[in-house]
Amino acid sequence: MAADVDKSTPERARSTGHSGQRSPGYGAWFCGGMWTLLAVCAVPLAGFGIKYYQNSQLLRRHEEAVQTLGVEGLFLFSSLDTDHDLYLSPEEFRPIAEKLTGITAPVDLEEDVIDDPNGETLVLEASMKPLLLDSMTKSRDGFLGVSHSSLSGLRSWTHPAIPSSSFPAGHFRVFLPPKGKTEPGDAWWVIPSELNIFTGYLPNNRYHPPTPKGKEVLIHSLLSMFHPRAFIKSRFAPQGTVACIRASSDFYYDIVFRIHAEFQLNDVPNFPFWFTPGQFTGNIVISKDASHVRHFHLYVPSNR
């Protein structure tokens, strides 16, 4: 026992120093820890300062815009300013350029979709019944207080914009399931929702939809048969397009899908007027190589 105690005493002395004071390494560790703590605290403070400066600059620009354009002019400007930075980029100005020149910029399909000149072509027909204004009420008094110009887009929308259109069958490959989702009952996003608690809702004061990209192109083309200003991403949840395999065989997939989109019925200078169906329901029977579409149907359920 005594021998063990004697052996431990020098070890303890070396760790604490012969005089019982802490080693110099402790002071260096303490200083390093303080600098690390200060650095960690400085990061959120710097972020807060940058955010405060950006907000103050945006507020100053907003006040200048009100003085220059007035409230109504700023409203129209904001409908084009999709990123809300109070500056119009060429992409944001594109709808005005197209309206003034009458020239529409071409829309590209997915990069990996190559049309087969000898492939199958699918002809789709669109039909609709005019909306019944008597059944679309803002209150018990109907559209009391709503100007006639605000309802102009609704009153004039009595037939599809494009009654008939043809599509290469290969374009419908956007509905094919991804890898790992090939069994009946499997569901997946065709166009994923981009809304969350951080993004909030999309703005109301818009007239022209953003240029569709990738899988959005076909969905936008289909909905544009009904109205030229189709927004394939709704302003609020639920948003996006979801598909599910209902059945499959050696050659075909039977796929059901659901789209949440909406239409902007008015154009400048009238105020925006949105029409948001509960959902677009669809069904497609397509070959697994997307070379043949046996059946396609897209509609708005009206049983409720």
Side-chain angles (χ1 to χ4, degrees):
M1 295 291 292
D4 292 339
V5 172
D6 291 341
K7 289 179 180 179
S8 63
T9 302
E11 296 293 335
R12 190 177 296 111
R14 281 194 298 269
S15 64
T16 59
H18 293 289
S19 61
Q21 298 178 352
R22 292 174 177 172
S23 62
Y26 177 81
W29 176 87
F30 179 78
C31 292
M34 288 296 296
W35 280 111
T36 302
L37 181 61
L38 290 175
V40 171
C41 295
V43 171
L45 290 176
F48 177 79
I50 295 173
K51 184 65 175 177
Y52 177 79
Y53 174 78
Q54 293 175 340
N55 290 340
S56 61
Q57 291 293 101
L58 189 62
L59 179 61
R60 180 182 61 81
R61 277 184 280 168
H62 184 272
E63 293 174 350
E64 294 176 351
V66 172
Q67 295 176 357
T68 304
L69 302 175
V71 177
E72 294 184 358
L74 180 60
F75 178 84
L76 295 177
F77 181 90
S78 299
S79 67
L80 299 172
D81 183 24
T82 55
D83 56 5
H84 307 292
D85 62 351
L86 291 177
Y87 289 103
L88 289 185
S89 66
E91 177 63 24
E92 292 171 333
F93 186 75
R94 180 180 57 82
I96 296 299
E98 293 177 353
K99 190 172 184 63
L100 294 177
T101 62
I103 301 175
T104 302
V107 177
D108 296 330
L109 291 173
E110 291 185 85
E111 295 180 357
D112 57 346
V113 175
I114 301 177
D115 292 338
D116 182 3
N118 300 319
E120 177 183 286
T121 299
L122 185 68
V123 178
L124 297 182
E125 296 182 354
S127 61
M128 61 170 286
K129 294 181 179 180
L131 299 172
L132 301 177
L133 270 66
D134 294 340
S135 66
M136 303 174 64
T137 58
K138 182 181 178 183
S139 64
R140 293 182 180 179
D141 298 322
F143 284 106
L144 182 65
V146 180
S147 64
H148 189 275
S149 62
S150 296
L151 299 177
S152 60
L154 176 62
R155 296 181 187 276
S156 62
W157 191 28
T158 59
H159 57 274
I162 305 175
S164 178
S165 184
S166 60
F167 299 86
H171 289 185
F172 289 83
R173 68 173 60 251
V174 301
F175 292 109
L176 290 178
K179 294 181 179 179
K181 298 286 187 179
T182 57
E183 299 297 327
D186 287 344
W188 65 93
W189 288 103
V190 177
I191 300 176
S193 173
E194 296 179 352
L195 297 179
N196 54 51
I197 59 175
F198 301 103
T199 60
Y201 300 149
L202 296 180
N204 293 321
N205 54 334
R206 294 177 296 160
Y207 292 93
H208 300 278
T211 302
K213 299 178 181 179
K215 294 182 178 180
E216 301 173 355
V217 173
L218 178 67
I219 305 296
H220 182 265
S221 298
L222 294 172
L223 297 183
S224 295
M225 293 181 67
F226 295 99
H227 195 279
R229 289 183 294 279
F231 286 73
I232 59 173
K233 291 183 178 178
S234 55
R235 293 163 293 160
F236 41 80
Q239 184 193 73
T241 301
V242 179
C244 177
I245 297 179
R246 182 164 62 180
S248 66
S249 65
D250 293 338
F251 189 71
Y252 289 108
Y253 283 123
D254 183 353
I255 297 172
V256 292
F257 57 91
R258 174 169 171 163
I259 301 172
H260 286 280
E262 53 190 349
F263 300 107
Q264 175 52 249
L265 303 186
N266 280 351
D267 201 353
V268 179
N270 296 325
F271 285 103
F273 191 94
W274 294 88
F275 174 65
T276 310
Q279 62 174 286
F280 294 86
T281 298
N283 168 228
I284 182 172
V285 179
I286 183 172
S287 63
K288 293 184 176 181
D289 62 356
S291 62
H292 173 59
V293 176
R294 183 173 180 176
H295 170 79
F296 182 84
H297 185 211
L298 174 67
Y299 66 101
V300 174
S302 58
N303 58 328
R304 294 184 181 179

